[in-house]
Structure formats: C-alpha cells, structure tokens
Amino acid sequence: MLPSSHQTSLRGDIHLTKPTPSQSNRYEIIQRSKMIPADCALDISNVFHSTAVVIEGSCLSKSEPTAVLRDVSARVHGGEVLAILGSKGSGKRALLDVIAGRAEGETRGRVTLNNNLLTPELFRRHGGYVAHRCHLLPSLTVRQTLTYATWLANLGNREARVRQTLADLALSQVANRSVNDLTKPEYRRLMLGVQLAKDPTLLLLDEPTWDTDPLNTYLIVSMLWSYATRRGSIVVLTMETPRSDVLPFVSRVTLLCLGAVVYSGPTRSMLDYFTYIGFPCPELENPLMYYLCLSTVDRRSRDRFLESNQQISVLVEKFKAEGVIYMKEAPQVPTNVKDTPLGIMHKGLGRGIKPGCFSTLLALYLRSMAATFAFNKSGLGHFATRLLLLPFSVALMSILYSHSTPVQSRVFLQTGGLVFNVLTLFYVAGIACTALLFPGYRARYYQEKREGLYGGAMFLTAYALLSFPLSFVSTMITIGILIPILEMDLSTWAYACGVLWASYVAAEQVTVAVLMVVGRPITGAITVLYMTLTSLVVASGAVRSLKALPYWLAAVSTALPARYASLALNQLAIDVPTFVNLHYNESFACPGIPELCRYPDGKSYLIERFTREGENISEVLNVDLNLLISLAFAIGLSILNSVLYLLPLPAKVKAKFRE
C-alpha cells in the first residue's frame, strides 16, 4: 500500500496563477536572449492502476478488478525521449493512459509536469497523444489534414506550422496527395504530424513504429528525437520490439513486466545497472531487446513460467532497493539545445490549447466539405453517395410505373405502391448513406473528443450542416424525376420534397443514434433497416390499411413518422383532379355497378384506406399538418442525438471506439 501522502488522485485540481506584467516581460526577455530556463520534467511517482476485467460465466458475466500497474515510477526531462518497453500485457498502454488522464478504473499515485499535478485538462492543453491506430479522413490531402488539425486546436500561424511539420516529417513531397493514397510509413508519419503541428510540451505515442520496416522505424524515432531536442519537449513512446539502431535516440528507458518496473532510468546507465546486479549484456547483442527478453515471462512451459516469474520478481525488488538513484539521474543537455529555449517556457503552462466554439464549428464544417468535394476516388465516392444515390435508385424504379393506365382497377393501387416504394427508398437511402459515410467521421470524432477539442453536440451540428443541404438537393432532383409520372405541379413538388426530405433525415438520425453504441456499420444499418421496415408495414397504410389495424397497433402507429409521411404523400399523389370518375377498366365505364365503381375520386380511396371510424377526416388527410409533423420528427431526432452524444457512455461501449 502507498503511504497516505502518496495516495493522491491523478484527477485532482490545479490552480495556475496568471503571470503579472513584469513576469510576462521577463519571460519575453528570456526567450529573446535564448537562455535555458528551468528544466521541464515529467514525474511519475508510485502509480497503481487497476481496471475491471470481464469474466465470462456459464449464465452471467461478472467483472473483477485486476491490477495493471503496480508501483510504477519514472522521470523524464525536457529534450529527452523516454521509451517504455515491455511485452504484450505489461501495462505500456495503461501507463500512457494514466499520464493522459484517460485510464478507466481506479488509479492511485502522482503524475506531475513541471511540479504541476497533471490533470486531464492540463494534458489536453499541453499534451499530444498518438494512438496505436489513428483514423484520418481518407479524401483529405496531407496538407489539409494538418491544416484542419491546427485549426481545430485554435492555433495561430497555421500555414507556418503546417509547412514546418511537413518538412520535419519528410512529407513535403506528398503534401497534396490524399490520405487514402499514402503508404503505411507516410500514413504513420502523418499521424505523428497531426500532433506535432500543435507543438505539444508532452507527446505520448503508443507503438509509433508498430507496422513499419527497419528504415522507417529508424526515421520515425530519429524525427521524434529531433523534435524533442529542438523544442525542449518531452516524448514518451512505447515499443514492443526495439531495434538496436534506435538506441542512440532513446534518452531514457522504462522496462515493464506485468505492470511492475524492472528498470527506469537513463539508457546510458542501463548497462551499468544490470552488470552491477549480475546480468551483463553479451557482446554484439541489442541491449534494449536483451533486457526486454530478460524481463519477459516465459510461457512455453510451466517450469519456465515459474522460473522466469521468480526471476522478474527478484529484478523488480532489486530495482526498488538499488535502482532509484538511476531514475533520478539528471539529464545531459545536448549541445544543440543550449541555443534554444525549452518548449515549456516557450509556450507556458498558463494557456495552451483552448479551442474556440465558432472557430471549431467552422473548421469541422469546412473539413467535412473538403472531404466530400475532394477530386479523388474517396471524395467522388462521398459526392456520388450523397447526391446521386437517391436519383439513380428512383429513376430505375420509376421505369416500372411509367406506363400505368389511369383506370380504377389499377391506378389507385399502382400509385399507392409507387408512393410506398419511393418512401421506402428514401428511408433505405438515408440508412445506407449514413452507414457508409458517418463511421469515418465518427472514428475521427471519438479520437478528437478524447483530446478535448470539441464535444458531441458540435460534431453533430457540423455533420448536419453538411448533410442537410446535400440531402435536400438530392431530394429535389429525385422528385423531379417523378413529376412526369405523378403529373405534379410546383406546389405538389414542393410539398413532396419537404415530406420525403424529412423522412430521409429521420432515417439518417436514427442510424446516427444506433451507430453511437454499435461499432460495426453493417450491424447498425441492418438494425435500423429492420426497425424502418416494421414501421412502414405498421404505419404506412400500404401493406395493411390503417382502418384494419387493431386498436393498440393503430395507437402505436401514431408515434411513427412513416404514418404522417405516407398520409401526406398519398394525398398529394391520389387526391388529384385526374382521378375523378375514372373507368373501372378499358371496357367498363363508371358510374355503374357500385361494387366495381367504388371510388368516384381519389379522396374516397384515401378515406377508405387511411381513416378509422370516429376520426376527423380533415385532420387525418391534412397535407400541411402531416408535413409539419414529419419535419418535427426529423428536427426532434436531430436534437435528441445531440443530447445522446453528450451523455457518458458505459466503459464496455467506449472500448469499441478507443482506436
């Protein structure tokens, strides 16, 4: 157990004093004279962390707390690169999450940056986190990706930052290439650039060289070292298979095994320490890999497991007893740092990144527009899905109805069937378009939300500002295709556009709500599709008339948007002058036999099909009212989604979107 003095919550609060004018002037003088300020340091002291692990049972699953980090301490100074080494399950990512304030579960200990308690808010302002996987919008160019990253962070001198980042990461030659066309190493460097462009004081990286070849591994680590030494910032990265050629760029090493520290201190002292305790590194061996293997549990057999586990326990106890002095060893400042101020003084801990509301919304909207109208394969796919999917689908379907005969025996059912199919296509198109395009934005949102750049309401507002106008344009084009078939005038066309657009938006918003908790887009789309088809069968009146529904089912239908959209569309298409006193068929004229000539006009058909006894016909068959209700459903679902995206998600759900 930790002493009471060390059992400090990592999520404590911190009050930063605003510098007085004289202090600000002194800071400016220091920067101008390029003197080295007080050292910047990240201190990790006696950190314990446990998380709930789900244990599957025969009937019910339960979760039990499991220790992930056990008394972890480390220190790294400005201008240094700290490599956290360990095999899979050693707690490397958990330690990064604890530092960044993202860890789920119970955490004890203390993490400070420049003697300030490192709260999640302080890290968001002065830190950067590059996850193991990063989802970038594929249709944006490299330059656009970096530009919008700095814009969302509300930083100045965006062009200069982007230009410098492109040069530092050797991306200038591919600056105008789309993200989707990058090679794996280029994509990995762009992931780093999104954070480096913000010039963070503390940069955390989870396996930045995971899927890169030896040359690009060397390139990435050397670039991170160059950034740390040039800016005076702190770089902390995890590695599972460190190569010997990165050894010169790693200032400090922390070796973890099963959440405990085997060694933590300067890389140059690591060989001396292990030699001192009786584990010298053989000649021509990679020290990083050798000591990583030394501190890894051997699971090939039970005897080896017990032997290696005992050895690691001895190494952990030895470091606690004799290795603390190595961890506190002061850094050796490289010669090229002496002429530049450290990043902590150069940025200051008093302000940092603080996005503005309007600026962030504008950046999100313009980024979405750039991704949609990009002239590349991914951008053209976005454009075609948003604007051309609906018109193309309805144009194909309208061929089946282009030669219908205006007689009572067929025209009412054919027109009602056309309305039902058009309404269904709008719902399906809204679901399909959202399932295809929304997950890319959603993945980027969940990562940027963890950085504290914006929240769910702003994300959905920006998405709606992009989606609503484009879907309305697509709706107008689609209804234009139906004008010759349904013989619409301008007023009817406008009403139909409003009703069908509201239906499209409602389907889109329901899909967005489902995709908040469902990871796989195809699963979410199928779920919403089943819900939509059920509502159409119950409430549209096309498969079964509303008059024939049981009372409880009729009551349920009043809460479904498909009911009001179907009523409005059927009235617009059927209650028209051309459907008055139609022949029954090509050889039998009306009026005649009442059993055949049932409908003297379209309104009679609507009353029989869509109204129930005791209902006010003028209220049920009211295009204006049904249009307003349809729009109210669409707007209400949009507002509901904004509220849902503000609610905290359960840890089980959040785990799906961590990367």
Side-chain angles (χ1 to χ4, degrees):
M1 293 290 293
L2 285 172
S4 58
S5 60
H6 288 294
Q7 294 182 10
T8 309
S9 170
L10 292 178
R11 299 183 181 274
D13 199 7
I14 153 178
H15 301 281
L16 299 172
T17 56
K18 186 175 180 181
T20 62
S22 59
Q23 290 174 323
S24 299
N25 292 337
R26 186 158 62 250
Y27 290 164
E28 186 176 352
I29 292 170
I30 291 175
Q31 290 189 38
R32 287 180 179 176
S33 60
K34 296 187 177 181
M35 295 174 60
I36 298 180
D39 183 34
C40 165
L42 172 70
D43 276 301
I44 304 165
S45 304
N46 309 107
V47 169
F48 290 79
H49 174 66
S50 60
T51 186
V53 176
V54 177
I55 301 175
E56 299 292 340
S58 56
C59 297
L60 297 174
S61 60
K62 61 178 182 178
S63 59
E64 292 185 358
T66 302
V68 181
L69 298 174
R70 298 176 294 156
D71 197 13
V72 174
S73 296
R75 173 179 290 181
V76 56
H77 298 264
E80 293 184 328
V81 176
L82 167 65
I84 302 174
L85 308 182
S87 58
K88 197 169 186 179
S90 60
K92 302 188 300 298
R93 183 183 298 181
L95 182 55
L96 292 187
D97 287 341
V98 167
I99 296 172
R102 300 181 177 185
E104 300 286 343
E106 183 184 355
T107 303
R108 293 179 293 121
R110 186 177 178 85
V111 179
T112 61
L113 179 63
N114 254 28
N115 296 320
N116 293 312
L117 195 63
L118 188 56
T119 62
E121 173 63 23
L122 192 65
F123 178 81
R124 282 194 291 266
R125 289 180 177 237
H126 302 283
Y129 192 118
V130 181
H132 179 54
R133 292 175 185 166
C134 186
H135 299 275
L136 304 174
L137 298 182
S139 55
L140 293 180
T141 65
V142 173
R143 189 185 302 278
Q144 287 173 327
T145 301
L146 295 176
T147 299
Y148 287 115
T150 56
W151 194 345
L152 286 171
N154 200 31
L155 300 173
N157 301 320
R158 290 195 289 269
E159 290 186 8
R161 287 175 181 270
V162 170
R163 194 164 50 247
Q164 183 65 46
T165 304
L166 290 171
D168 290 344
L169 297 176
L171 292 172
S172 299
Q173 299 298 321
V174 295
N176 296 318
R177 187 182 298 175
S178 67
V179 171
N180 206 34
D181 295 331
L182 296 178
T183 63
K184 281 186 178 180
E186 290 168 347
Y187 191 95
R188 180 68 66 178
R189 296 205 299 274
L190 180 58
M191 287 168 52
L192 305 182
V194 169
Q195 298 301 327
L196 290 183
K198 303 173 188 176
D199 197 14
T201 300
L202 172 61
L203 180 62
L204 308 180
L205 306 102
D206 186 16
E207 297 285 355
T209 60
W210 172 253
D211 53 356
T212 55
D213 56 73
L215 178 60
N216 282 286
T217 297
Y218 177 87
L219 187 63
I220 287 173
V221 177
S222 65
M223 288 174 173
L224 292 172
W225 172 84
S226 175
Y227 170 78
T229 55
R230 187 177 67 253
R231 306 299 295 173
S233 298
I234 298 171
V235 173
V236 181
L237 57 89
T238 64
M239 298 182 78
E240 193 170 322
T241 54
R243 295 177 52 83
S244 58
D245 51 2
V246 305
L247 186 62
F249 303 113
V250 176
S251 311
R252 290 179 181 256
V253 172
T254 295
L255 279 169
L256 293 180
C257 182
L258 301 178
V261 177
V262 176
Y263 172 80
S264 183
T267 310
R268 63 179 181 274
S269 302
M270 182 174 62
L271 290 172
D272 295 337
Y273 168 74
F274 279 104
T275 301
Y276 170 71
I277 63 173
F279 293 93
C281 179
E283 292 186 13
L284 304 180
E285 282 280 355
N286 173 8
L288 295 178
M289 200 65 198
Y290 178 77
Y291 290 120
L292 176 59
C293 294
L294 182 69
S295 57
T296 300
V297 177
D298 191 342
R299 303 178 185 273
R300 288 177 290 179
S301 68
R302 185 175 182 275
D303 292 337
R304 289 185 175 183
F305 173 79
L306 294 175
E307 183 183 350
S308 61
N309 203 24
Q310 183 178 6
Q311 176 180 287
I312 290 166
S313 298
V314 171
L315 290 175
V316 170
E317 293 303 321
K318 277 185 174 294
F319 184 76
K320 285 183 180 179
E322 305 179 22
V324 178
I325 189 172
Y326 291 92
M327 183 181 66
K328 296 182 178 180
E329 187 176 334
Q332 291 183 354
V333 181
T335 55
N336 59 343
V337 178
K338 292 182 179 179
D339 294 331
T340 59
L342 288 178
I344 203 72
M345 183 65 73
H346 144 79
K347 290 181 287 293
L349 279 183
R351 186 163 175 262
I353 297 174
K354 188 176 182 180
C357 187
F358 177 76
S359 175
T360 303
L361 180 61
L362 181 61
L364 286 173
Y365 172 70
L366 292 179
R367 185 176 70 175
S368 301
M369 289 288 288
T372 301
F373 292 98
F375 194 71
N376 53 50
K377 183 170 61 176
S378 182
L380 292 175
H382 278 220
F383 178 81
T385 303
R386 289 197 181 278
L387 284 179
L388 304 179
L389 177 63
L390 261 177
F392 179 74
S393 304
V394 172
L396 288 179
M397 186 201 65
S398 64
I399 297 173
L400 303 174
Y401 294 91
S402 58
H403 302 292
S404 60
T405 307
V407 293
Q408 279 195 45
S409 60
R410 291 190 294 271
V411 72
F412 290 115
L413 290 177
Q414 286 178 343
T415 306
L418 175 61
V419 168
F420 175 78
N421 287 328
V422 168
L423 183 59
T424 302
L425 277 178
F426 268 80
Y427 279 124
V428 172
I431 296 168
C433 183
T434 308
L436 288 171
L437 304 181
F438 182 74
Y441 295 100
R442 176 191 67 177
R444 196 74 199 112
Y445 154 69
Y446 277 117
Q447 291 185 333
E448 291 175 334
K449 180 187 177 184
R450 298 189 82 183
E451 296 176 27
L453 297 181
Y454 54 88
M458 185 171 293
F459 163 65
L460 289 181
T461 301
Y463 186 81
L465 289 174
L466 169 74
S467 175
F468 286 4
L470 294 179
S471 59
F472 189 72
V473 171
S474 180
T475 300
M476 291 193 295
I477 297 172
T478 304
I479 303 303
I481 297 172
L482 298 174
I483 286 178
I485 301 174
L486 297 176
E487 299 181 4
M488 296 179 175
D489 56 19
L490 183 60
S491 174
T492 306
W493 173 78
Y495 274 102
C497 284
V499 172
L500 288 171
W501 178 70
S503 302
Y504 181 98
V505 171
E508 177 186 58
Q509 294 301 314
V510 172
T511 310
V512 166
V514 171
L515 289 178
M516 181 180 71
V517 294
V518 177
R520 297 183 61 191
I522 185 66
T523 304
I526 292 173
T527 302
V528 180
L529 185 60
Y530 275 121
M531 295 165 54
T532 301
L533 293 179
T534 302
S535 71
L536 283 168
V537 169
V538 171
S540 67
V543 178
R544 188 174 183 182
S545 67
L546 297 180
K547 180 180 288 188
L549 290 178
Y551 177 79
W552 69 271
L553 207 53
V556 169
S557 71
T558 59
L560 300 174
R563 172 188 177 99
Y564 305 98
S566 180
L567 285 172
L569 293 173
N570 276 284
Q571 187 174 358
L572 289 170
I574 295 176
D575 190 10
V576 293
T578 55
F579 284 2
V580 175
N581 293 325
L582 293 175
H583 287 57
Y584 176 72
N585 54 29
E586 289 81 355
S587 58
F588 189 85
C590 290
I593 303 174
E595 288 77 10
L596 296 179
C597 302
R598 296 167 60 185
Y599 310 118
D601 52 27
K603 188 171 185 178
S604 303
Y605 172 81
L606 295 173
I607 291 173
E608 181 183 296
R609 189 83 185 169
F610 295 99
T611 61
R612 297 171 61 87
E613 292 183 7
E615 287 185 329
N616 189 329
I617 296 174
S618 61
E619 290 183 0
V620 175
L621 301 178
N622 186 326
V623 176
D624 293 322
L625 179 61
N626 290 324
L627 171 62
L628 290 176
I629 294 175
S630 298
L631 291 172
F633 267 107
I635 296 171
L637 287 170
S638 302
I639 296 173
L640 177 63
N641 274 342
S642 297
V643 175
L644 289 177
Y645 270 67
L646 291 175
L647 299 177
L649 291 174
K652 204 170 184 179
V653 175
K654 284 197 287 188
K656 301 177 184 178
F657 308 108
R658 278 182 185 162
E659 291 188 350

